[in-house]
Amino acid sequence: MMAARSGQAMAARNALARGDIHGTQRLAATLVSANPGDAEGHFLLGVAESSAGRVRAGIQHLGRAVTLDPQGEYRAHLAKLFTMVREDGAAAAVLQDAEQALPADALSRDTMGCVYARLGKHADALGHFSAAVRLDPQNRQFRYNQAVTLNFLGRTGEAEAALEALIALAPDDARAHHLLSSLRKQSAAHNHVDRLDRAYARAADKRDRLLLGYALAKELEDLGKPEDALERLCTVNAEHRRTLDYAFARDAAAFDAIEASWPDVAAAPAQDAPHDAPIFIIGMPRTGTTLVDRILSSHQKVESAGELQAMPLAVKRASGTRTPTVMDPETIAAAAASDMGAIGRDYLQRADHHRCDHSRRFIDKFPGNFHYAGFIARALPAARIVCLRRNPMDTVLSNFRNLFAVGSRYYDYSYDLLDIAAYYVRFDRLMTLWREALPGRVMEVRYEDLVADQEGQTRRLLTHCGLEWSDACLSFHTNDAPVSTPSAAQVRQPIYRSSVARWKRHEQALEPVRRFFERSGISID
């Protein structure tokens, strides 16, 4: 009987390896039905259920498997499922247990690395990614995860070597090429343009063409060919934009809902609102938010928790809506009358697992929190908010030049210059609302002013955040904390001026944007 069950478990494992989720589920269910104490059966059934989109059911079965047999493989996958339902605290606890009996297989070690990375613990993730590569050196995903983490940790040379090894294994791996191009500024003597051109010519997959096109544009820009770079970007972005079911009206509806709901948010109860004083850095992406994060987190009393989704998720929970997106008009409207104190407590609980030193204040540098400034101000009365502003034309160009999370619908606006301009207009209007409704709560910092007067603007920042002066904030580029944003390479060097007024290199191509801003009453001076 045991031999039969063992054979059936192997058959279920083989079905899972083939991607046959239905077959895995059927075989694993038979195992559990025959023996409710079969840990392997519960594990395989849990993986199958979660793979079919039934994550809560998967958690139940994987939890049972861990209870029956607390081994590392089962715990690693249970931790992954907890992150999928945004229960980061439970994921962290399961990971801690998994460290006591590490799994022997490469997939589970990679899974543990992914969960640590999700929690912002990149140093902890690296050992697991490296172990996965040692155990299965032919696996491209494991190698890519290792390289990404090395880059986050500032180990650029090792990241470059890891990516070259991956490209040697898979010459057309578009993600590897894209990441490699971003690690440093390329030079005439050391670049990948010819290799990228060849890979781009071979690429048939639309996402691969997008990644390779961005890599080419970045390297052409580095080599002093800005016109060629922008031409390439226009081509690949237009190609990708045609595949998206997107109209700016979708984002406009969210802005409308935020503005319309503010009176309800302002009047909502805030029972037992927390006294904690996190620092929120908000603004349009690619406007200097990571730079300010590094400046402030270089202070001995501050740490960066990275770009958290904690506030959007706390608002979503308070709303009770079941819409498929975290932020949408229905959710904003439903959350507006919630108890703001409860949102604040929920936020802090979610953020807690992304912190390292609880004796220090923490930064949440998710730029998109500009949508939630009203909720932040009410839910966390002691929170400090800093908003980065940048020349509107440079903001449009920088958003167009940066490839955000391709699968995220929140960045669909970023593939068309006029879509970005329309988004900026609404961002600017929303910031005007916060400026008037929340006097003194939101400090606006111009990127150009920070570049021109680093010390003066740093003193303003520290004063606003209630922090005493620290010389370390001027040496932010020596901060060795991980950076998990596209600005990783830039913020590891002193402030430079080359990004100011970059748009003027492309005045002709950006003329429609300039005219749009003129009609919308946006000054570009």
Side-chain angles (χ1 to χ4, degrees), residues 36-44 46 58-82 90 93-95 97-98 101:
D38 190 317
E40 178 76 352
H42 280 289
F43 168 71
L44 291 166
I59 288 173
Q60 290 183 348
H61 284 291
L62 280 172
R64 179 62 177 156
V66 168
T67 300
L68 292 166
D69 183 5
Q71 57 157 289
E73 181 186 21
Y74 296 173
R75 283 171 165 160
H77 289 272
L78 178 58
K80 174 185 175 181
L81 295 196
F82 276 128
V94 172
L95 273 184
D97 291 338

Side-chain angles (χ1 to χ4, degrees), residues 7 11 35 43 51 98 104-105 117 120 193 208 279 301 332 342 360 362 384 405 416 443 449 451 465 477 521:
N35 177 14
F43 168 71
S51 298
D105 66 298
V193 169
D208 285 352
I279 300 168
K301 293 184 179 179
I332 295 298
R360 296 191 286 172
F362 73 94
R384 308 301 172 96
D416 180 88
M443 174 186 175
D449 291 343
V451 170
C465 294
H477 53 284

